[in-house]
Amino acid sequence: MLEDDEKKIIAAIQGDIPVTARPYQAIAEDLGLSEATVINILQSLCDRGVIRRFGATLRHQRSGITANAMVAWSVPEDRVAEVGERFAGFKSVSHCYRRDPAPGWPFNLYTMVHATDEDECFETTRQMAVDGGVADYNVLFSRRELKKTSMAYFNDEDD
């Protein structure tokens, strides 16, 4: 069971967190709590496994990034961890996942590559392929964002 302050803090962080030097202080002020209380409760929630991951979403269009490509890679299974770590080290890669291949679709490693244009995405992907020693891949560009939301666990209507 969660305490009332824990629920309030979870509700406050499930949306946009203020982009300030001290975001937890701004959240604390909105909730009528101290910054230390908010941080301590968040730490407790993480320690207890209630919060398993904190993520940040960059509004990439506002930062000049206009080309986004999901690159599907076919990597020998015994090299997935090594290649995945190499690919994840590229600054323009925001996501790197291993997934099971499907019939007719041999790809098992996926990266999201962001750049200012498609040519830059292709160049980064080419560099990744050389660095990882992977020749079999497929570049899939994002054409339209259909949905981008975070999970909502508590809202103002919840008791």
Side-chain angles (χ1 to χ4, degrees), residues 1-4 7-8 153-159:
M1 297 300 287
L2 295 172
E3 301 292 326
D4 287 343
K7 289 179 183 179
K8 288 177 187 174
Y153 298 99
F154 299 103
N155 60 41
D156 293 335
E157 292 82 42
D158 287 339
D159 293 328

Side-chain angles (χ1 to χ4, degrees), residues 16 37-38 45 48 55 90 100 107-110 143 145:
D16 291 341
T37 297
V38 169
L45 292 167
R48 292 169 19 219
F90 277 75
D100 291 334
F107 306 103
N108 59 348
L109 188 65
Y110 294 82
R143 295 296 178 214
E145 188 173 284

Side-chain angles (χ1 to χ4, degrees), residues 3-21:
E3 301 292 326
D4 287 343
D5 284 347
E6 292 173 328
K7 289 179 183 179
K8 288 177 187 174
I9 291 170
I10 291 170
I13 66 167
Q14 67 191 5
D16 291 341
I17 293 177
V19 180
T20 67

Side-chain angles (χ1 to χ4, degrees), residues 28-159:
E29 288 171 4
D30 288 345
L31 298 176
L33 301 169
S34 71
E35 179 183 29
T37 297
V38 169
I39 291 170
N40 289 337
I41 288 174
L42 285 170
Q43 184 63 60
S44 172
L45 292 167
C46 289
D47 291 346
R48 292 169 19 219
V50 175
I51 295 176
R52 293 180 293 175
R53 182 177 83 82
F54 252 89
T57 301
L58 172 67
R59 306 285 186 230
H60 57 271
Q61 296 88 345
R62 294 183 191 168
S63 67
I65 295 172
T66 59
N68 305 286
M70 176 65 71
V71 184
W73 305 87
S74 181
V75 179
E77 210 45 58
D78 63 340
R79 295 195 59 228
V80 168
E82 170 225 336
V83 172
E85 286 200 27
R86 284 179 177 269
F87 288 175
F90 277 75
K91 287 186 344 184
S92 57
V93 171
S94 64
H95 297 72
C96 186
Y97 295 102
R98 189 246 172 244
R99 299 198 186 269
D100 291 334
W105 186 255
F107 306 103
N108 59 348
L109 188 65
Y110 294 82
T111 56
M112 195 69 193
V113 177
H114 306 279
T116 55
D117 59 41
E118 289 189 6
D119 287 341
E120 187 180 341
C121 272
F122 279 123
E123 178 56 25
T124 298
T125 302
R126 187 196 64 72
Q127 290 172 7
M128 292 169 69
V130 169
D131 186 58
V134 180
D136 190 9
Y137 60 91
N138 199 330
V139 181
L140 308 165
F141 283 98
S142 299
R143 295 296 178 214
R144 194 169 126 217
E145 188 173 284
L146 301 173
K147 179 182 179 186
K148 187 179 229 170
T149 60
S150 298
M151 291 297 297
Y153 298 99
F154 299 103
N155 60 41
D156 293 335
E157 292 82 42
D158 287 339
D159 293 328

